[in-house]
Amino acid sequence: MMAVEVKDLRKSYNGFEALKGISFHLEKGEIFALLGPNGAGKTTTIRILCGLTRPGGGQAFFFGMDIFKNPLKAKKLAGLVPQALNLDLDLTVWENLLIHGLLFGLSLQEIKEQGQSLMEFSGLRARLHHKVRTLSGGMRRRVLITRALLHRPRILFLDEPTVGLDPHIRRKLWGLIKRIQQQGTTILLTTHYIEEAEFLANRVAFIDNGTLVIVDKPQNLTSRLGKYAVDIVQEDGLETKYFPDRQSAEDFILSRRETGTTVTLRRVNLEDAFVYFTGKRV
Amino acid sequence: MKGFLAVYLRELLIMWHRLPRMVLSFSVSPVLYLVAFGLGLGKHITIHGRPYLEFLIPGLVAASSMMQGFGINVEINVARFYMRVFEEIQAAPVSNLAYVLGEILAGVSRAFLSVSIILFITALARVSFSYGPAFWAGVFLNSFIFAALGVTSAMLIKSHADQALVSNFIITPMAFLGGTFFPVGNMPGPVQIILKTLPLTHASRLIRQAAYGQKILWNDLGILVALAGASLLLAYWSVDKARD
Ligand SMILES: Nc1ncnc2c1ncn2[C@@H]1O[C@H](COP(=O)(O)OP(=O)(O)OP(=O)(O)O)[C@@H](O)[C@H]1O
Ligand SMILES: [Mg+2]
């Protein structure tokens, strides 16, 4: 069964079409990444699926259930790590977790147990009774993620979860996200970090201007272009050519030797695919 | 039910962390009013045969329960526009009714805190009243109505700045004119008619009469109950308007 199914989702703000009818689905247990430039509509998509923004049209289902007809049931299944921090700064970490647990109908006992087990990963135990206001940005983000996991959502929405985190914490978080997936949670992730999508996602969707450009496995997206890329420095920027194997790429470089331009040979990555399919950089 | 509890508990925790500051700030204006109007101005004034202070204090109770009930809107604004916690609640499986009732009860709790402070100061000033069920019903209904209106206004406004407009043009004038500091009967006829439609006018009359230990004004009580129901509906309706 599909964990999430989105059909022709639309949203306009005062005549401006932020989502122009997008459709996609998430298989149960997969990590699905929405990749796109600023203003593409990633956050809008997540906000609609979490009940924060009114849909302008279309349908959406969690495990076959129409979420616009059953908003409260749908919200029970979902966990959200929003792009913008939304913690109570003047409450302690524990109080933030407590309120969240009660909002999702957990008992005090469940909140304590689940909170305890999440402390392992989050490293927040020592700060549990500190006000959120006194925590660093990265710690706040970890509180945000811990909170979203507290009610054991079956579908997790992560809107740029690692923004502003140092590389160590980011890598720790990637590990955590993988572990959450292994426990059977389905994850929809948005990110600006290509390597994040490449590392985490089973499938990637490129979104641009409120439209889904293409959806596929990362390796399929890159192999559509080739295996190797040659960047050629030009007066008006960078041109990239793609080659099926190393030999043909090297032949090309040799043929350009006379012109004296700077070229670099490297492997094709997901960023190439994004640029190729959307005509833009992320 | 847990959703309602969560919303209410959240506001209580916020209040708890700020309790000393809140108590202090809730004490300032009643003390000022009592000193300025009660002792300074009102020494030689009597209304309905009683010293002005005895007229003023129930009026302060009514005005203050209105202001602090309505004051929940500030908390909601902070949660909505500054900390964005409102979105955390929107994303939770909590019905609009549970949310609204949680916030209203928080407003009522603020009001009871401020009224307790006034009564404490009153006791220090050696003025005594009778605090029967009608008195507390008046405080409860009045703060309930205005907390519900506070929730409504917090849902409908688009930015924090709009809120000051609502407070300055509606709440502050009402606090002065709703039978709090002078009897509405002193006003010219047409003005009286307008003032008698204000919820606060009924609340202050009910509360004052009860404080004097006189018979319960069932009319005013009935009107306040009806207004409480209507304002609850309004608040309930407004919650969905806050989604973009
Ligand atoms: N509340 C709003 N009112 C008006 N326009 C909005 C609103 N929210 C989003 N938009 C517009 O909708 C478009 C999509 O915004 P969205 O936040 O979904 O982009 P995004 O893909 O998440 O971008 P980013 O990578 O910058 O987070 C943008 O053009 C944005 O200006
Ligand atoms: Mg975004």
Side-chain angles (χ1 to χ4, degrees):
Chain A
M1 173 175 280
M2 281 184 253
V4 178
E5 194 182 3
V6 172
K7 288 184 183 165
D8 196 32
L9 198 63
R10 294 171 181 278
K11 177 68 187 178
S12 298
Y13 295 105
N14 308 318
F16 168 76
E17 278 189 288
L19 289 180
K20 299 172 182 161
I22 63 170
S23 303
F24 59 91
H25 74 273
L26 273 70
E27 299 291 344
K28 189 174 176 302
E30 82 169 327
I31 299 183
F32 183 92
L34 272 180
L35 218 56
N38 291 130
K42 305 181 294 293
T43 298
T44 304
T45 305
I46 288 188
R47 286 177 61 93
I48 292 175
L49 294 179
C50 292
L52 299 181
T53 293
R54 234 187 296 263
Q59 286 179 298
F61 305 87
F62 291 172
F63 300 103
M65 180 185 68
D66 187 327
I67 67 165
F68 300 146
K69 292 201 178 118
N70 305 284
L72 293 189
K73 277 189 195 153
K75 286 173 182 178
K76 263 197 184 321
L77 299 174
L80 169 64
V81 175
Q83 185 172 0
L85 286 173
N86 65 350
L87 298 161
D88 263 306
L89 300 178
D90 296 312
L91 298 187
T92 65
V93 173
W94 160 247
E95 287 165 343
N96 271 277
L97 296 179
L98 173 69
I99 299 298
H100 180 90
L102 292 175
L103 282 171
F104 278 82
L106 304 188
S107 70
L108 193 60
Q109 188 62 24
E110 287 172 308
I111 298 171
K112 276 187 183 153
E113 283 172 10
Q114 180 67 353
Q116 280 298 328
S117 70
L118 286 169
M119 285 303 115
E120 301 301 330
F121 109 81
S122 67
L124 289 165
R125 195 184 297 279
R127 302 286 188 139
L128 198 57
H129 297 292
H130 290 213
K131 286 190 183 174
V132 173
R133 195 180 285 288
T134 66
L135 305 187
S136 76
M139 288 177 193
R140 292 179 191 189
R141 213 144 249 292
R142 279 184 274 163
V143 178
L144 204 64
I145 295 165
T146 308
R147 188 183 67 178
L149 294 172
L150 193 72
H151 61 282
R152 302 173 197 262
R154 294 182 65 193
I155 307 166
L156 186 60
F157 294 93
L158 302 170
D159 198 354
E160 304 193 23
T162 63
V163 98
L165 295 182
D166 71 45
H168 297 286
I169 299 285
R170 168 171 302 153
R171 258 143 243 269
K172 254 181 97 172
L173 199 60
W174 287 0
L176 173 77
I177 293 172
K178 284 273 193 197
R179 260 186 290 146
I180 298 166
Q181 177 190 28
Q182 280 157 13
Q183 289 165 8
T185 310
T186 308
I187 299 172
L188 176 69
L189 166 97
T190 81
T191 180
H192 284 283
Y193 303 112
I194 299 271
E195 69 281 10
E196 187 162 294
E198 213 156 27
F199 178 79
L200 287 174
N202 301 104
R203 287 189 306 140
V204 171
F206 291 154
I207 180 172
D208 191 15
N209 254 318
T211 325
L212 275 199
V213 182
I214 193 165
V215 184
D216 210 336
K217 296 188 170 125
Q219 57 271 34
N220 291 352
L221 288 170
T222 52
S223 66
R224 288 189 199 205
L225 302 186
K227 262 205 157 64
Y228 287 89
V230 175
D231 293 321
I232 307 141
V233 178
Q234 289 178 331
E235 281 186 5
D236 55 348
L238 202 65
E239 196 201 343
T240 308
K241 288 198 178 300
Y242 303 105
F243 301 91
D245 49 49
R246 189 166 184 118
Q247 191 56 51
S248 52
E250 283 174 348
D251 289 347
F252 171 77
I253 293 173
L254 280 175
S255 75
R256 296 281 303 233
R257 220 173 174 173
E258 316 297 294
T259 62
T261 47
T262 311
V263 297
T264 349
L265 173 65
R266 56 178 177 78
R267 281 185 158 271
V268 171
N269 60 30
L270 199 57
E271 183 159 336
D272 293 312
F274 185 84
V275 174
Y276 179 82
F277 288 111
T278 65
K280 263 189 198 168
R281 283 197 176 262
V282 181
Chain B
M1 186 59 202
K2 272 192 190 137
F4 157 77
L5 211 70
V7 173
Y8 181 50
L9 181 66
R10 175 179 166 270
E11 296 287 2
L12 283 189
L13 285 172
I14 291 172
M15 275 200 253
W16 174 248
H17 283 293
R18 278 206 306 242
L19 196 62
R21 266 177 292 165
M22 265 177 102
V23 168
L24 211 65
S25 81
F26 283 2
S27 318
V28 173
S29 61
V31 167
L32 283 179
Y33 280 118
L34 287 177
V35 170
F37 299 123
L39 304 176
L41 192 67
K43 239 179 185 151
H44 310 290
I45 304 174
T46 58
I47 293 180
H48 309 317
R50 290 167 179 270
Y52 182 59
L53 207 55
E54 287 183 20
F55 180 87
L56 176 67
I57 289 170
L60 272 180
V61 165
S64 180
S65 54
M66 169 182 100
M67 301 270 247
Q68 298 315 330
F70 192 79
I72 194 65
N73 74 345
V74 177
E75 303 299 331
I76 298 175
N77 278 326
V78 171
R80 236 188 113 189
F81 298 116
Y82 171 56
M83 292 195 291
R84 315 183 69 128
V85 189
F86 182 63
E87 294 186 350
E88 149 84 352
I89 299 170
Q90 276 182 309
V94 171
S95 69
N96 289 354
L97 186 65
Y99 172 71
V100 163
L101 284 175
E103 294 290 6
I104 291 177
L105 199 62
V108 170
S109 305
R110 285 170 58 99
F112 272 84
L113 177 64
S114 80
V115 168
S116 312
I117 291 169
I118 294 175
L119 297 185
F120 179 72
I121 295 169
T122 303
L124 291 183
R126 296 176 178 279
V127 182
S128 66
F129 293 108
S130 76
Y131 304 118
F135 179 90
W136 293 111
V139 171
F140 175 81
L141 288 169
N142 191 34
S143 56
F144 186 100
I145 292 167
F146 284 96
L149 294 178
V151 173
T152 309
S153 78
M155 293 295 113
L156 295 184
I157 59 164
K158 297 276 176 256
S159 76
H160 198 47
D162 294 348
Q163 192 65 63
L165 234 57
V166 179
S167 299
N168 287 339
F169 279 96
I170 300 174
I171 297 303
T172 309
M174 198 168 347
F176 276 90
L177 304 176
T180 43
F181 300 125
F182 55 84
V184 171
N186 286 4
M187 290 279 122
V191 179
Q192 264 191 51
I193 292 172
I194 297 172
L195 294 187
K196 278 180 181 160
T197 64
L198 301 179
L200 185 62
T201 308
H202 299 282
S204 54
R205 195 157 60 193
L206 176 71
I207 290 169
R208 183 171 289 120
Q209 184 94 349
Y212 291 170
Q214 293 165 351
K215 63 178 190 321
I216 297 170
L217 297 173
W218 292 104
N219 256 354
D220 290 312
L221 193 65
I223 290 171
L224 289 177
V225 169
L227 286 172
S231 57
L232 176 62
L233 282 178
L234 199 63
Y236 175 71
W237 160 85
S238 73
V239 177
D240 251 350
K241 304 285 165 215
R243 279 205 297 171
D244 59 22

